[in-house]
Amino acid sequence: MEFIDYYKILDLTKDATESDIKKAYRKQARKYHPDLNPNDNAAKAKFQQINEANEVLSDPEKRKKYDQHGHDWKQRDEAHQYQREHAEQHQQRAGRAGEQFSGNFSEHDFSDFFESMFGGGARQQGRSQVKFRGQDVNAELHLDLKDVYKTDKKTLTVNGKNIRLTIPAGVENGQTIKIAGHGGEGVNGGPNGDLYITFIITNTTKFKREGNNLHTTADLDLYTALLGGEITTDTFDGKVKLIIKPETQNNAKVKLKGKGFPIYKREGEYGDLFITWQIKMPENLTEKEKELFLELSKIKSNGK
């Protein structure tokens, strides 16, 4: 039978305050609670140690005795005397057990060290049930860019439950949203945890998204680029007609205001669309076309 360092079990130092002990205990107890770790004997054993440590350190009398005589417990036989002298005090402190956690921790779960220090009668009775909040759950939802251009509804199956989810237009790749109360079930009547959904958005369209703006390239024939004119080109949700200025250069850009991607949770607002013109050279020229281009070249070279 060895000395048990209750401070180490709760990851505390000897100058820990009552509040420090309470916080450390609740954190550790929640992590190792048997209801949250079913069929895990190691977690159960750890939970018992945590409860025993809290049993001592949260009680001023027990903590004082432990601090003074803990290392010398083999040389002392005062445990039963201590029990008799303070039985009444322990009965009064039973109400303090609201800080204790129930769950697979019985009167037989105290260590021999505890029994030697405090005796069997030093245990607090009437531990109340403490409500545990359920675990948060993380899930991924895989969508294509075109799926998040408009607000839509999807049904997800998480932990065997179907969840009807409204997906606002404009969500971004990697963005996470919280669905309150749809995580793990609470313990002892505690509230459910939350569900966190991370969006994984692929892009199979010809448009590149940068924030709320879209970028794309479009072909422009040489003649329209030189002389100007009107063409029809694609936007994300349809086609538009555009006026092309004469002598438009290759890689020139045009901005279509409000033709980009929806702005998240700002109904009716959109980013911009930027189109880069790729001038397409004519192919399979006729002899007449070749003559005309040759004539044009001569005129240009002569500066006329």
Side-chain angles (χ1 to χ4, degrees), residues 19-34:
S19 176
D20 293 335
I21 294 169
K22 179 179 178 181
K23 290 177 182 178
Y25 169 65
R26 292 184 69 87
K27 178 181 178 181
Q28 296 262 30
R30 190 191 190 292
K31 181 178 180 181
Y32 293 102
H33 194 286

Side-chain angles (χ1 to χ4, degrees), residues 92-104:
Q92 293 174 351
R93 288 197 184 94
R96 283 170 23 86
E99 292 303 321
Q100 301 290 336
F101 289 83
S102 64
N104 299 330

